[in-house]
Protein backbone atom coordinates (compact mmCIF):
# COMPACT_ATOMS: atom_id res chain seq x y z
CA UNK A 1 0.00 0.00 0.00
CA UNK A 2 1.30 3.47 -0.88
CA UNK A 3 2.37 5.68 2.00
CA UNK A 4 0.16 8.69 2.65
CA UNK A 5 1.88 11.88 1.60
CA UNK A 6 1.35 15.49 2.68
CA UNK A 7 0.13 18.41 0.65
CA UNK A 8 2.62 21.24 0.18
CA UNK A 9 2.39 24.95 -0.42
CA UNK A 10 5.75 26.14 -1.61
CA UNK A 11 7.19 29.38 -2.88
CA UNK A 12 8.62 28.40 -6.22
CA UNK A 13 10.35 31.53 -7.42
CA UNK A 14 11.39 32.65 -10.86
CA UNK A 15 13.77 30.43 -12.86
CA UNK A 16 16.91 32.12 -11.36
CA UNK A 17 15.94 30.83 -7.92
CA UNK A 18 17.65 27.56 -8.89
CA UNK A 19 20.92 29.52 -8.61
CA UNK A 20 20.22 30.40 -4.99
CA UNK A 21 22.24 27.90 -2.93
CA UNK A 22 20.22 28.44 0.24
CA UNK A 23 16.83 27.78 -1.39
CA UNK A 24 18.17 24.80 -3.31
CA UNK A 25 19.60 23.31 -0.14
CA UNK A 26 16.37 23.87 1.78
CA UNK A 27 14.22 22.34 -0.94
CA UNK A 28 16.51 19.33 -1.42
CA UNK A 29 16.50 18.65 2.32
CA UNK A 30 12.69 18.86 2.40
CA UNK A 31 12.34 16.38 -0.45
CA UNK A 32 14.67 13.94 1.30
CA UNK A 33 12.42 13.99 4.36
CA UNK A 34 9.35 13.00 2.37
CA UNK A 35 8.40 9.46 1.41
CA UNK A 36 9.01 8.93 -2.29
CA UNK A 37 5.83 9.80 -4.20
CA UNK A 38 4.18 7.42 -6.62
CA UNK A 39 3.26 10.50 -8.63
CA UNK A 40 3.02 14.27 -8.23
CA UNK A 41 0.05 16.59 -8.85
CA UNK A 42 0.89 20.28 -9.21
CA UNK A 43 -1.34 23.34 -9.09
CA UNK A 44 0.69 26.38 -10.09
CA UNK A 45 0.09 30.11 -9.81
CA UNK A 46 0.94 30.31 -13.49
CA UNK A 47 -2.00 28.39 -14.87
CA UNK A 48 -5.50 29.76 -14.52
CA UNK A 49 -8.04 28.13 -16.80
CA UNK A 50 -11.74 27.40 -16.44
CA UNK A 51 -13.14 24.85 -16.45
CA UNK A 52 -10.48 22.84 -14.65
CA UNK A 53 -7.98 21.82 -17.30
CA UNK A 54 -5.66 18.83 -17.29
CA UNK A 55 -2.26 19.23 -18.88
CA UNK A 56 -0.33 16.98 -21.22
CA UNK A 57 0.94 13.59 -20.10
CA UNK A 58 3.33 13.29 -23.03
CA UNK A 59 7.04 13.92 -22.59
CA UNK A 60 7.06 14.91 -26.28
CA UNK A 61 5.21 18.08 -25.28
CA UNK A 62 7.76 20.82 -24.46
CA UNK A 63 7.80 22.56 -21.11
CA UNK A 64 5.88 25.82 -20.85
CA UNK A 65 8.49 28.59 -20.68
CA UNK A 66 6.08 31.20 -19.34
CA UNK A 67 8.54 33.99 -18.57
CA UNK A 68 10.31 36.74 -20.47
CA UNK A 69 13.58 38.63 -20.41
CA UNK A 70 15.78 35.99 -18.78
CA UNK A 71 19.11 34.65 -20.07
CA UNK A 72 18.80 32.02 -22.77
CA UNK A 73 19.98 29.16 -20.54
CA UNK A 74 16.72 29.25 -18.57
CA UNK A 75 14.80 28.49 -21.76
CA UNK A 76 16.92 25.38 -22.30
CA UNK A 77 15.88 23.73 -19.04
CA UNK A 78 14.37 20.31 -19.54
CA UNK A 79 12.42 18.11 -17.17
CA UNK A 80 11.27 14.97 -18.93
CA UNK A 81 9.35 13.38 -16.06
CA UNK A 82 6.86 10.74 -17.15
CA UNK A 83 3.33 11.99 -17.58
CA UNK A 84 0.99 10.67 -14.88
CA UNK A 85 -1.59 9.25 -17.27
CA UNK A 86 -3.16 7.01 -14.60
CA UNK A 87 -3.65 10.05 -12.37
CA UNK A 88 -5.81 11.77 -14.98
CA UNK A 89 -8.63 9.26 -14.52
CA UNK A 90 -8.38 9.50 -10.72
CA UNK A 91 -8.60 13.30 -10.77
CA UNK A 92 -11.62 13.19 -13.06
CA UNK A 93 -13.31 10.55 -10.87
CA UNK A 94 -12.91 12.71 -7.77
CA UNK A 95 -14.53 15.80 -9.27
CA UNK A 96 -18.28 16.37 -8.93
CA UNK A 97 -20.37 14.37 -11.39
CA UNK A 98 -21.19 16.45 -14.42
CA UNK A 99 -18.58 19.11 -13.72
CA UNK A 100 -16.86 20.03 -16.98
CA UNK A 101 -13.20 19.15 -17.37
CA UNK A 102 -11.01 20.17 -20.26
CA UNK A 103 -7.82 18.58 -21.58
CA UNK A 104 -4.98 20.59 -23.09
CA UNK A 105 -2.57 18.18 -24.82
CA UNK A 106 -0.33 21.09 -25.83
CA UNK A 107 0.40 22.30 -22.31
CA UNK A 108 3.16 20.70 -20.28
CA UNK A 109 4.60 21.85 -16.95
CA UNK A 110 5.14 25.58 -16.43
CA UNK A 111 7.97 27.03 -14.35
CA UNK A 112 5.84 27.06 -11.21
CA UNK A 113 5.84 23.28 -11.52
CA UNK A 114 9.15 22.29 -13.03
CA UNK A 115 11.49 24.78 -11.28
CA UNK A 116 10.96 23.28 -7.79
CA UNK A 117 10.79 19.74 -9.18
CA UNK A 118 14.21 20.06 -10.83
CA UNK A 119 15.55 20.61 -7.32
CA UNK A 120 13.37 18.18 -5.35
CA UNK A 121 13.43 15.27 -7.81
CA UNK A 122 16.25 16.05 -10.27
CA UNK A 123 16.21 12.58 -11.84
CA UNK A 124 12.78 13.37 -13.33
CA UNK A 125 11.71 9.77 -12.78
CA UNK A 126 8.42 10.36 -10.92
CA UNK A 127 5.25 10.86 -13.02
CA UNK A 128 3.96 14.44 -12.85
CA UNK A 129 0.60 15.92 -13.79
CA UNK A 130 -0.36 19.58 -13.73
CA UNK A 131 -3.92 20.86 -13.53
CA UNK A 132 -5.15 24.42 -13.79
CA UNK A 133 -6.70 26.63 -11.15
CA UNK A 134 -10.27 26.99 -12.44
CA UNK A 135 -10.85 30.01 -10.20
CA UNK A 136 -9.02 32.18 -7.67
CA UNK A 137 -11.87 32.02 -5.17
CA UNK A 138 -10.38 30.61 -1.93
CA UNK A 139 -13.42 28.63 -0.83
CA UNK A 140 -13.86 27.01 -4.22
CA UNK A 141 -10.17 26.05 -4.24
CA UNK A 142 -10.54 24.62 -0.73
CA UNK A 143 -13.35 22.48 -2.07
CA UNK A 144 -11.17 21.34 -4.95
CA UNK A 145 -8.45 20.35 -2.50
CA UNK A 146 -10.97 18.40 -0.43
CA UNK A 147 -11.97 16.45 -3.55
CA UNK A 148 -8.34 15.64 -4.28
CA UNK A 149 -7.50 14.65 -0.69
CA UNK A 150 -7.89 10.86 -1.24
CA UNK A 151 -4.97 10.97 -3.66
CA UNK A 152 -2.59 11.53 -0.77
CA UNK A 153 -3.39 8.01 0.51
CA UNK A 154 -2.52 6.69 -2.94
CA UNK A 155 1.02 8.01 -2.81
CA UNK A 156 0.35 11.26 -4.68
CA UNK A 157 2.25 14.34 -3.56
CA UNK A 158 -0.03 17.37 -4.00
CA UNK A 159 1.87 20.63 -4.48
CA UNK A 160 0.36 24.11 -4.53
CA UNK A 161 3.10 26.28 -6.02
CA UNK A 162 2.94 30.03 -5.51
CA UNK A 163 4.82 32.63 -3.45
CA UNK A 164 3.98 33.94 0.02
CA UNK A 165 4.51 37.51 -1.15
CA UNK A 166 4.64 38.53 -4.79
CA UNK A 167 4.53 42.30 -5.04
CA UNK A 168 6.89 42.54 -8.00
CA UNK A 169 5.67 46.01 -9.12
CA UNK A 170 6.61 47.45 -5.72
CA UNK A 171 10.19 46.16 -5.42
CA UNK A 172 12.77 48.93 -5.38
CA UNK A 173 15.68 46.49 -5.34
CA UNK A 174 15.14 43.24 -7.28
CA UNK A 175 18.53 41.73 -6.37
CA UNK A 176 18.40 38.26 -4.74
CA UNK A 177 19.75 39.52 -1.37
CA UNK A 178 17.68 42.69 -1.25
CA UNK A 179 16.35 43.90 2.07
CA UNK A 180 12.68 42.89 2.09
CA UNK A 181 10.27 45.82 2.01
CA UNK A 182 8.02 46.42 4.99
CA UNK A 183 4.89 45.11 3.28
CA UNK A 184 6.61 41.79 2.57
CA UNK A 185 7.86 41.43 6.14
CA UNK A 186 4.46 42.33 7.59
CA UNK A 187 2.51 39.93 5.40
CA UNK A 188 4.99 37.12 6.03
CA UNK A 189 4.83 37.60 9.81
CA UNK A 190 1.05 37.54 9.62
CA UNK A 191 1.14 34.38 7.49
CA UNK A 192 3.44 32.65 9.98
CA UNK A 193 1.17 33.54 12.91
CA UNK A 194 -2.00 32.64 11.04
CA UNK A 195 -0.60 29.28 9.90
CA UNK A 196 0.46 28.54 13.48
CA UNK A 197 -3.04 29.35 14.71
CA UNK A 198 -4.69 27.22 12.02
CA UNK A 199 -6.97 30.15 11.26
CA UNK A 200 -8.38 29.17 7.87
CA UNK A 201 -11.01 31.93 7.90
CA UNK A 202 -8.29 34.57 8.27
CA UNK A 203 -6.23 33.01 5.48
CA UNK A 204 -9.29 33.10 3.22
CA UNK A 205 -9.96 36.74 4.12
CA UNK A 206 -6.32 37.78 3.62
CA UNK A 207 -7.22 40.73 1.44
CA UNK A 208 -8.91 42.40 4.41
CA UNK A 209 -7.02 40.97 7.38
CA UNK A 210 -3.40 40.72 6.30
CA UNK A 211 -1.06 43.70 6.73
CA UNK A 212 0.94 44.62 3.68
CA UNK A 213 -1.99 44.29 1.31
CA UNK A 214 -2.43 44.99 -1.53
CA UNK A 215 1.32 45.40 -2.05
CA UNK A 216 2.14 41.83 -1.00
CA UNK A 217 -0.33 40.49 -3.58
CA UNK A 218 -1.46 43.11 -6.09
CA UNK A 219 -2.85 40.10 -7.94
CA UNK A 220 -3.68 37.01 -5.92
CA UNK A 221 -2.72 34.04 -8.08
CA UNK A 222 0.47 33.33 -6.10
CA UNK A 223 -1.44 32.99 -2.82
CA UNK A 224 -4.30 31.00 -4.33
CA UNK A 225 -2.58 27.57 -4.66
CA UNK A 226 -2.38 27.57 -0.86
CA UNK A 227 -6.10 26.85 -0.66
CA UNK A 228 -5.90 23.70 -2.76
CA UNK A 229 -3.17 22.43 -0.45
CA UNK A 230 -5.19 23.41 2.64
CA UNK A 231 -8.26 21.64 1.31
CA UNK A 232 -6.22 18.51 0.60
CA UNK A 233 -4.97 18.34 4.19
CA UNK A 234 -6.63 16.04 6.70
CA UNK A 235 -7.58 19.02 8.86
CA UNK A 236 -7.19 22.49 7.35
CA UNK A 237 -7.44 23.97 10.85
CA UNK A 238 -4.41 22.08 12.09
CA UNK A 239 -1.21 24.11 12.19
CA UNK A 240 1.06 23.08 9.31
CA UNK A 241 4.75 22.49 9.55
CA UNK A 242 6.49 25.65 8.36
CA UNK A 243 9.50 24.28 6.53
CA UNK A 244 11.10 27.22 4.68
CA UNK A 245 11.16 30.89 5.57
CA UNK A 246 13.26 33.91 4.72
CA UNK A 247 13.31 36.07 1.61
CA UNK A 248 14.56 36.11 -1.95
CA UNK A 249 14.55 39.35 -3.91
CA UNK A 250 12.63 40.79 -0.96
CA UNK A 251 9.78 38.30 -1.40
CA UNK A 252 8.78 35.92 1.37
CA UNK A 253 9.50 32.30 0.45
CA UNK A 254 7.61 30.76 3.39
CA UNK A 255 6.58 27.22 2.50
CA UNK A 256 4.51 24.72 4.49
CA UNK A 257 3.71 21.03 4.78
CA UNK A 258 0.16 19.95 5.55
CA UNK A 259 -0.79 16.50 6.82
Amino acid sequence: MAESLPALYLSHGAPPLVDDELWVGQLKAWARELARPQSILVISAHWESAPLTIGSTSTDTPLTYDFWGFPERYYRTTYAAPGAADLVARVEALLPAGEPVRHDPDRRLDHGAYVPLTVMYPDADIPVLQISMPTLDPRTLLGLGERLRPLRDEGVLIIGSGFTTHGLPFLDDPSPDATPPGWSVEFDAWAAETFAAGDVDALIDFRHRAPGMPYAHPTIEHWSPLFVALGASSDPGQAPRQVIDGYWMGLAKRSIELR
Side-chain angles (χ1 to χ4, degrees), residues 148-236:
L148 299 174
R149 185 184 301 164
L151 297 175
R152 293 179 41 227
D153 294 331
E154 301 169 21
V156 179
L157 179 64
I158 298 174
I159 298 177
S161 180
F163 221 100
T164 294
T165 60
H166 200 254
L168 292 176
F170 306 111
L171 293 177
D172 295 325
D173 178 4
S175 62
D177 297 325
T179 300
W183 50 260
S184 189
V185 174
E186 291 170 2
F187 187 99
D188 183 51
W190 173 85
E193 294 171 2
T194 309
F195 287 147
D199 192 342
V200 177
D201 288 338
L203 294 170
I204 288 172
D205 196 29
F206 70 100
R207 279 178 281 198
H208 301 106
R209 301 199 198 184
M213 289 295 292
Y215 304 100
H217 289 284
T219 58
I220 65 170
E221 74 281 351
H222 277 75
W223 186 242
S224 299
L226 164 68
F227 299 107
V228 181
L230 276 173
S233 68
S234 301
D235 179 3

Side-chain angles (χ1 to χ4, degrees), residues 3 5 31 34-40 121 126-127 154-157:
E3 183 170 348
L5 285 161
L34 299 172
R36 179 179 171 83
Q38 300 287 323
S39 57
I40 299 169
Y121 303 106
I126 299 173
E154 301 169 21
V156 179
L157 179 64

Side-chain angles (χ1 to χ4, degrees), residues 13 15 17 33 77 82-83 96 100 102 105 181 211 233 254 256-257:
L17 198 48
E33 294 170 359
T77 299
R102 194 166 69 88
S233 68
R254 186 169 303 277
I256 62 173
E257 179 178 316

Side-chain angles (χ1 to χ4, degrees), residues 128-141:
V128 181
L129 180 68
Q130 183 171 358
I131 62 175
S132 72
M133 286 192 295
T135 177
L136 298 182
D137 176 69
R139 293 194 183 277
T140 303
L141 293 175

